[in-house]
Amino acid sequence: MEINLNNPIFTLDQYKWDHAPLYKDGLDFNYAHGIFRNMSFADRFIVFGVMYQTKRWLMRGVTQADVDEAREAASFTFDDEECFNHEMWQRVVDECGGKFPLEITCLPEGSAVKPKVCYMDITNTKKGFAPVASSVETLYQHVWYTSIIATHTRQIVEDIKSFTDETSDIHGIHSVLLADFGQRSATCMEQAGLGGMAILLSTMSSDTSMAFLYATKYYNANKNTLMKSVRANEHSVTTGFGRDDKGCILDGIKKIKKKSKGGIYSFVSDTNGIINFMENVVPQCKAEILDFHETGTRALNKIVFRPDSDRYEGDTPAEQVLWIVETLDKTFGHTVNNKGYKVLHPAVGCIYGDSLDRKKIRAIYQLLKDNKWSAENTLVGSGGGLMQKGFDRDEIGSAIKASEQTFDGVVTPIKKNTLDEFKRSKGGRMKVIKVDGEFVNITSEDPDFDTHEDLKVVFFRDGEIFNEECFETIRERMDIW
């Protein structure tokens, strides 16, 4: 058997391969809706990733080779190829031309919804293909990841914005102060692309290369404005100079000036000890650093110093950032902005990116503010803290539940009535309307259901994409820029 890693049938949980015969006889149509039940760190969820899953898996369709491959796999995993619903998938190929006979509707991506608001729904478009609608539930469960990352990143950038609004004169500076370092923290490159793309909804600063590919391929992102990175060295560079930190700085400045028009240069600063580096080495390079700033042709032409370890046991990121800023001030000086906060000479700054999370990032900017320093004096970077740490499907309470089925032409609301109230589901079809600016559900069991227009829009129907939006439109809807 030749392995095809793009076979959409394999996006189903294995147990779903044999579901069709288990449904009540006469099932014509199956309708399901998606919700996020809860989240500990936010009161609203950012909906994101539905169009990616649709383009990535449904638009490809199903081929005869896919059906044959799945049937053969079932002979191994179930010891019985008949456990694979060959008849239904063969009908998808023969009667639907391989196109999924489904309709996927969703709130416009980037929308912020409260818990238990229906953000998407799934139904089959052709009679007799109800199990196909159920089959893609596993696939769309993966929207939990992109949505939780988009939500969490927005929370951090909103935190940063609260500090820049109060301490900085530069409008919009919050959109570049958080840098995504998560590509190396992800479990695989697909996660890096998905998580990095969700992060880019709230910040432009990123070193996650896969995010660039995913956002441009699946959301037609504007390559000019999607993301920005900076030149940076690392310990593999600095250690090659032995203990010659000064030589390393001057050599880097010389090479960057020769190769480019300048820009920001991030310099890892603790290879031989951050204290000696900042207090003794950097002052010796003052003239060259100022020349680098003054001779470049870019608007931002500066060196930012990046520590990668504690100065001493018990040190904190906030305390070290403040110390670096105040140490740079002794050599390069500062001005006071219109809001009364100090701003370092534009030739220098700080960036901290070691093991940061939302709490530590807030602490950094709070301590700067408490000491009358503007937030713009430092950038912050995070990898696992943005893309992986503490995130799972349970955290967001992701669920996609069947709530209406049609048997022999009779529409029947269905729902779970578990003793656990948290896991009970609503019956009937769902529409989403706005009441006092908030998305709310109404169900087909409500008497005025038919009088309301559903705010969800069609994303996919019978092999075609509808209401496609570019990345920038989704960013604007986030209302963080």
Side-chain angles (χ1 to χ4, degrees), residues 183 192-193 206-214 227:
Q183 184 146 307
S206 177
D207 276 333
T208 300
S209 306
M210 294 300 294
F212 184 90
L213 295 181
Y214 273 61
M227 60 182 268

Side-chain angles (χ1 to χ4, degrees), residues 169-237:
D169 288 341
I170 304 176
H171 177 71
I173 188 68
H174 65 278
S175 65
V176 297
L177 291 184
L178 175 66
D180 171 22
F181 296 160
Q183 184 146 307
R184 62 185 54 206
S185 300
T187 56
C188 61
M189 289 303 169
E190 182 182 21
Q191 186 192 16
L194 291 173
M197 182 169 60
I199 290 166
L200 283 173
L201 288 175
S202 294
T203 181
M204 288 182 65
S205 299
S206 177
D207 276 333
T208 300
S209 306
M210 294 300 294
F212 184 90
L213 295 181
Y214 273 61
T216 52
K217 178 177 176 62
Y218 293 105
Y219 287 91
N220 303 312
N222 185 328
K223 296 178 181 179
N224 290 317
T225 59
L226 174 61
M227 60 182 268
K228 300 297 178 183
S229 185
V230 301
R231 290 169 174 81
N233 66 11
E234 62 179 11
H235 289 298
S236 69
V237 174

Side-chain angles (χ1 to χ4, degrees), residues 42-46 107 110-118 154 431-442 452-455:
D43 61 356
R44 289 169 180 79
F45 310 87
I46 301 300
L107 287 174
S111 297
V113 301
K114 287 187 172 182
K116 297 188 178 181
V117 170
C118 170
R154 179 190 167 104
K431 285 183 179 180
V432 178
I433 62 174
K434 272 196 171 181
V435 176
D436 296 329
E438 295 283 358
F439 293 109
V440 297
N441 298 324
I442 58 171
H452 291 284
E453 181 179 354
D454 192 3
L455 295 179

Side-chain angles (χ1 to χ4, degrees), residues 67-180:
V67 175
D68 294 342
E69 181 180 38
R71 189 174 192 177
E72 183 179 358
S75 70
F76 297 109
T77 58
F78 292 103
D79 293 325
D80 182 0
E81 68 177 30
E82 295 305 315
C83 287
F84 169 63
N85 187 11
H86 176 267
E87 179 185 357
M88 183 188 73
W89 290 106
Q90 191 63 53
R91 288 181 60 212
V92 171
V93 173
D94 295 341
E95 298 177 27
C96 306
K99 298 177 181 179
F100 280 86
L102 299 175
E103 180 177 270
I104 311 295
T105 68
C106 186
L107 287 174
E109 295 195 287
S111 297
V113 301
K114 287 187 172 182
K116 297 188 178 181
V117 170
C118 170
Y119 69 90
M120 70 169 297
D121 44 33
I122 306 165
T123 191
N124 54 300
T125 57
K126 292 179 170 57
K127 182 179 178 180
F129 287 94
V132 180
S134 174
S135 72
V136 298
E137 177 250 343
T138 311
L139 171 65
Y140 284 104
Q141 285 283 10
H142 291 175
V143 173
W144 77 261
Y145 178 70
T146 38
S147 293
I148 202 172
I149 300 304
T151 303
H152 179 250
T153 307
R154 179 190 167 104
Q155 295 289 308
I156 295 176
V157 175
E158 283 182 333
D159 290 345
I160 294 173
K161 186 176 185 296
S162 71
F163 288 104
T164 58
D165 285 351
E166 189 168 352
T167 69
S168 176
D169 288 341
I170 304 176
H171 177 71
I173 188 68
H174 65 278
S175 65
V176 297
L177 291 184
L178 175 66
D180 171 22

Side-chain angles (χ1 to χ4, degrees), residues 239-271:
T239 51
F241 285 80
R243 301 195 65 83
D244 185 12
D245 288 336
K246 179 180 179 181
C248 185
I249 291 182
L250 299 182
D251 185 69
I253 290 174
K254 177 181 176 182
K255 289 176 177 175
I256 289 179
K257 287 177 66 176
K258 182 177 180 180
K259 184 179 180 181
S260 71
K261 299 176 182 178
I264 295 176
Y265 177 31
S266 173
F267 196 98
V268 65
S269 308
D270 65 336
T271 302

Side-chain angles (χ1 to χ4, degrees), residues 177-181 351-357 361 379-383 386:
L177 291 184
L178 175 66
D180 171 22
F181 296 160
I351 181 169
Y352 195 102
D354 184 34
S355 302
L356 291 184
D357 56 25
I361 290 170
L379 294 88
V380 290
S382 183
L386 283 180

